[in-house]
Amino acid sequence: MLEYVNEGGHQFGYRYMRDGSDVPYTCFYTSNVSLPREILGTQPFDPNFRTYGWEDIDLGLRLSRRGLRLIYNAQARVHHCHPMVLRDFYVRQIKVGAAIGTMYALHPDLVQDPLMPPADRPRLWKRVARLCVPLLLPMVNWLDARQVRLPERLYRFVLSDGFWLGRDRAVREQTTRGAERGCLRAVSDCRRRGNASTGSRIVRALHGGMSSPGG
């Protein structure tokens, strides 16, 4: 699994790079990049990223827009000792899927960028993945932990499900928070206008006490 994610999978893409060639901002892997400290400034990472994922790509994007060239040097090697099994990486993918929403919020134009993941996957694909991956994951994890080489498309399918699971959860949570903020504003407006009963109904609806504010 680690060979897949390092060479051409969900974390790195070294198999697609040529020694001495320019690579895009999506290859700004802070686990394996070298540049003068003064280029980074005093706060290189955007604090809007609250969880793991995309904070280094965001930095690479901002630096590239300032004119930074990122060049791949195949002889410059870093030993990053971070053993993982497939289940660990699946959990990581959930976090990465959740964090990409922050990336799109900061840079809305990236939704159309072919270097970035698509904005969504077909609903049928996700339904099939949600049915299959819980059954596949224990078996694939067991085989991978015993260093059984599996087809890349199997790794891609399982890990993609983790990514989209995290992405969909984050979208639902964001939608819920937006609805809660809207309800709380409505409650505040009602109370300010002296209509306490309507405000109380909205609060009960917000917490599941009734089907709708007007019910």
Side-chain angles (χ1 to χ4, degrees):
M1 185 270 296
L2 286 178
E3 181 179 345
Y4 162 67
V5 299
N6 284 332
E7 294 301 318
H10 284 77
Q11 187 167 15
F12 304 120
Y14 290 112
R15 77 167 58 150
Y16 307 113
M17 304 180 196
R18 291 184 300 168
D19 189 22
S21 64
D22 287 62
V23 292
Y25 69 92
T26 48
C27 298
F28 193 86
Y29 311 135
T30 47
S31 59
N32 193 5
V33 68
S34 177
L35 71 165
R37 180 65 179 84
E38 58 268 20
I39 292 178
L40 295 176
T42 57
Q43 189 176 15
F45 294 113
D46 193 309
N48 284 293
F49 289 93
R50 303 295 180 87
T51 61
Y52 170 85
W54 300 100
E55 73 285 349
D56 52 352
I57 306 303
D58 167 72
L59 175 59
L61 174 65
R62 288 185 282 113
L63 291 175
S64 69
R65 288 176 172 175
R66 286 165 44 191
L68 178 77
R69 288 180 61 198
L70 188 61
I71 300 174
Y72 176 54
N73 183 347
Q75 284 70 50
R77 294 181 176 270
V78 172
H79 293 280
H80 188 189
C81 186
H82 190 187
M84 299 181 78
V85 295
L86 184 109
R87 188 181 295 276
D88 298 330
F89 206 83
Y90 182 84
V91 173
R92 172 198 178 275
Q93 285 299 101
I94 294 175
K95 296 178 181 178
V96 171
I100 198 173
T102 303
M103 188 74 171
Y104 286 146
L106 293 171
H107 311 285
D109 56 304
L110 294 186
V111 175
Q112 305 298 327
D113 191 331
L115 294 173
M116 294 290 289
D120 203 354
R121 288 298 296 264
R123 185 174 299 178
L124 178 60
W125 185 95
K126 289 193 283 190
R127 284 181 177 176
V128 171
R130 302 290 153 80
L131 288 172
C132 295
V133 170
L135 302 175
L136 286 171
L137 186 58
M139 177 183 64
V140 175
N141 185 73
W142 187 86
L143 292 170
D144 184 71
R146 285 151 183 80
Q147 299 185 348
V148 177
R149 190 181 183 90
L150 300 170
E152 286 193 359
R153 65 178 61 185
L154 180 58
Y155 289 130
R156 187 177 301 113
F157 177 69
V158 171
L159 296 177
S160 292
D161 174 66
F163 176 89
W164 289 107
L165 181 63
R167 174 66 174 143
D168 290 348
R169 283 179 182 174
V171 169
R172 286 196 300 270
E173 289 172 3
Q174 185 178 19
T175 302
T176 300
R177 286 195 298 268
E180 289 177 350
R181 285 194 295 268
C183 285
L184 291 174
R185 282 196 298 270
V187 170
S188 177
D189 290 344
C190 287
R191 288 175 175 169
R192 189 168 56 249
R193 295 169 185 170
N195 194 345
S197 61
T198 300
S200 298
R201 289 202 300 271
I202 293 174
V203 171
R204 290 200 300 274
L206 179 61
H207 294 284
M210 52 197 306
S211 59
S212 68

